Amino acid sequence: MSAQPVFVLVRPQMGENIGAAARAMANFGLERMRIVDPRDGWPNPKAKAMAAGAGRVLDAAQICDTTAEAIADCTRIYATTARERGLTKAVLTPEAAMTEAAAACAAGEKVAVLFGPERAGLENADIARAGAIVSVPVDPAFPSLNLAQCALLMGYEWRRQSATVEAPRAAGPAASALEIEKLGDHYEETLERAGFFFPEKKAASMRLSLRNMWSRLPLTRAEVRILHGILRQVVRWKERG
Amino acid sequence: MSAQPVFVLVRPQMGENIGAAARAMANFGLERMRIVDPRDGWPNPKAKAMAAGAGRVLDAAQICDTTAEAIADCTRIYATTARERGLTKAVLTPEAAMTEAAAACAAGEKVAVLFGPERAGLENADIARAGAIVSVPVDPAFPSLNLAQCALLMGYEWRRQSATVEAPRAAGPAASALEIEKLGDHYEETLERAGFFFPEKKAASMRLSLRNMWSRLPLTRAEVRILHGILRQVVRWKERG
């Protein structure tokens, strides 16, 4: 199996939709599903029944407790969402996103595509972990794509775009989502001590903006080390008094 | 309503699939459905229930006895099919077909896209009425697209090809090179004071790596302000002792 993105279903509700998403993936040769905290537990007989011939996608699916865990080893994360979000993040078409993703996979990166729960969609905390948002250009008067339809369209574009790609030259090995998460933790903790998150009523949105920035930037591992180093050094400096 | 293709469902079986196809059309702003000889008659309450907010597509649907009648006024006909056919006819991707269709509609032609019954697909007699075949590039190992999924992908390509292409929305106004330069200066000066560039023989390459990072990252103006703010705050923190 050549390199391909992981489809991450975040807190899916109905088993039928999980099964239909597995079928949609299989239609386009995608085999890697991860499921974050499925509402009705796992395994789910309704998912299995709906998946029919795509049952092996479900059999191989990894179940995770959190979105952070599901994307920990991935270096490039896309969040699918229908609505406008307040977050500062590029909004790509499925075509543009899967063109990038195909190039990234060819260059050895691990790509994840996040899909939200049926009704509510992804939460801002999930979206803040993504490098970019993907939005299907539906009619604003009737934008009611369901989970499996969204997976179908992303799978379709993946197959279209991955058919012929060249690997771009990278700036260096990309940082994984886990490394970005830890970088975010380091900054958040230190800045907390430094009194950065002030006034209190703005603190939550400042934290979110910061997480969003780290996820959005295409940081290499070396750059993550530099950014940790900067912070450690200013702390040392402060402590020397 | 500007010119758009008619989606023709040929002898559909389950009402639910007709309703789901109506939804898929409405997602992409398509409003013209024709139905040839629906198995369970018409109107169909199950179709209506599944269509939900796309009910007006069904309300306006024209019911026909034969495929010939359904496409009588159309000038360009596409037949969707999953399998190879013995017919001598161009086989197009959805993208290529809808690119042609968009140009044809803009030129005043009437375009129809034929979808076959759930199990069997279109008969050769229906396909023979089409100018070209459209085939979705699915994985040959799992080519099980259903009626509504096929309508969804065709609708998606219609909207992509018929819309004036919009540039991807950016994450926000990008920082200028001057702003990046000043950000680099701020970090370099502060980190110099903090003793970051150590040991001396590595200082030059560390400075270069840092400048390189700031230039390489697609920072927005807002992010540059955050990064200045972080540094100012840790200096204040240090100075409080």
Side-chain angles (χ1 to χ4, degrees):
Chain A
M1 181 164 57
S2 58
Q4 53 171 235
V6 177
F7 276 20
V8 181
L9 311 192
V10 179
R11 295 180 297 278
Q13 302 179 322
M14 295 177 63
E16 290 85 343
N17 292 331
I18 302 171
R23 290 178 68 93
M25 290 174 62
N27 280 141
F28 297 110
L30 290 164
E31 310 191 353
R32 293 182 187 153
M33 179 186 275
R34 292 180 186 168
I35 310 175
V36 177
D37 191 20
R39 185 190 67 184
D40 298 336
W42 198 257
N44 183 322
K46 287 181 181 166
K48 191 82 192 216
M50 178 63 95
R56 73 202 150 79
V57 174
L58 295 184
D59 294 339
Q62 295 172 25
I63 308 301
C64 308
D65 290 330
T66 64
T67 302
E69 184 192 333
I71 61 173
D73 61 339
C74 298
T75 54
R76 189 177 288 246
I77 323 292
Y78 297 95
T80 60
T81 165
R83 293 185 302 286
E84 273 295 324
R85 302 296 188 138
L87 294 169
T88 302
K89 196 153 285 194
V91 180
L92 305 178
T93 61
E95 179 181 29
M98 291 300 100
T99 300
E100 273 187 15
C105 282
E109 288 201 51
K110 288 194 82 169
V111 173
V113 183
L114 305 180
F115 299 86
E118 287 90 337
R119 256 168 228 289
L122 290 168
E123 291 175 3
N124 277 349
D126 297 317
I127 296 175
R129 293 199 159 80
I133 287 170
V134 189
S135 193
V136 177
V138 288
D139 185 350
F142 192 79
S144 75
L145 285 183
N146 70 25
L147 173 55
Q149 288 175 317
C150 192
L152 185 81
L153 291 171
M154 297 301 290
Y156 168 78
E157 283 291 3
W158 162 258
R159 194 163 178 95
R160 274 185 1 102
Q161 306 308 329
S162 61
T164 53
V165 288
E166 265 180 80
R169 252 194 337 216
S176 71
L178 179 63
E179 288 163 331
I180 295 297
E181 183 82 12
K182 286 183 175 166
L183 179 70
D185 291 345
H186 187 187
Y187 269 77
E188 195 167 304
E189 284 158 21
T190 307
L191 292 172
E192 183 71 53
R193 289 169 56 204
F196 181 72
F197 299 110
F198 183 86
E200 185 56 38
K201 65 176 180 188
K202 282 198 173 174
S205 86
M206 289 171 79
R207 280 194 190 87
L208 192 65
S209 294
L210 209 55
R211 291 279 174 178
N212 192 48
M213 178 176 80
W214 301 131
S215 305
R216 197 183 74 74
L217 298 173
L219 291 163
T220 64
R221 286 195 164 161
E223 288 170 341
V224 167
R225 280 196 300 272
I226 292 175
L227 290 165
H228 278 297
I230 287 173
L231 206 54
R232 270 195 302 271
Q233 186 61 29
V234 293
V235 170
R236 253 182 247 125
W237 184 42
K238 179 222 165 25
E239 286 170 354
R240 281 201 308 265
Chain B
M1 180 164 58
S2 57
Q4 53 172 237
V6 178
F7 276 20
V8 181
L9 311 192
V10 179
R11 295 180 296 280
Q13 303 177 323
M14 295 178 64
E16 291 85 343
N17 293 332
I18 302 172
R23 290 177 69 92
M25 289 175 62
N27 281 140
F28 297 110
L30 290 164
E31 310 191 352
R32 293 180 187 157
M33 179 187 274
R34 292 178 186 169
I35 310 175
V36 177
D37 189 21
R39 185 190 67 184
D40 298 337
W42 198 258
N44 183 323
K46 287 181 181 164
K48 190 82 191 210
M50 179 62 95
R56 72 201 152 77
V57 174
L58 295 184
D59 294 339
Q62 295 171 25
I63 309 300
C64 308
D65 290 331
T66 64
T67 303
E69 183 192 332
I71 59 175
D73 61 340
C74 298
T75 54
R76 190 178 287 244
I77 323 294
Y78 297 95
T80 61
T81 166
R83 292 185 302 286
E84 272 296 324
R85 302 297 188 140
L87 297 167
T88 304
K89 193 153 289 192
V91 180
L92 305 178
T93 61
E95 180 181 27
M98 291 300 100
T99 301
E100 274 187 13
C105 282
E109 288 198 53
K110 288 194 80 170
V111 173
V113 184
L114 306 181
F115 299 87
E118 288 90 335
R119 256 169 229 287
L122 290 168
E123 292 175 2
N124 278 351
D126 298 316
I127 296 174
R129 293 199 158 80
I133 287 172
V134 189
S135 192
V136 177
V138 288
D139 186 349
F142 192 79
S144 77
L145 285 184
N146 70 25
L147 173 55
Q149 288 175 316
C150 192
L152 186 81
L153 291 171
M154 296 302 289
Y156 168 77
E157 283 291 3
W158 162 258
R159 193 164 180 93
R160 270 183 5 98
Q161 305 310 328
S162 63
T164 33
V165 181
E166 256 182 274
R169 254 177 333 191
S176 69
L178 179 62
E179 288 164 329
I180 295 299
E181 182 79 16
K182 286 181 176 170
L183 180 70
D185 291 347
H186 188 185
Y187 270 75
E188 196 167 304
E189 284 158 19
T190 307
L191 292 172
E192 184 71 52
R193 288 169 56 204
F196 181 74
F197 300 110
F198 182 86
E200 186 55 38
K201 66 177 178 185
K202 281 196 175 177
S205 85
M206 289 170 80
R207 281 195 189 88
L208 190 64
S209 295
L210 209 54
R211 291 282 174 176
N212 190 51
M213 177 175 79
W214 301 130
S215 307
R216 196 181 74 74
L217 298 173
L219 291 163
T220 64
R221 284 192 168 165
E223 288 170 342
V224 167
R225 281 195 300 272
I226 292 176
L227 290 165
H228 278 297
I230 286 174
L231 206 53
R232 272 195 302 271
Q233 186 61 27
V234 292
V235 170
R236 253 182 247 127
W237 184 42
K238 180 222 164 28
E239 285 170 355
R240 282 201 309 263

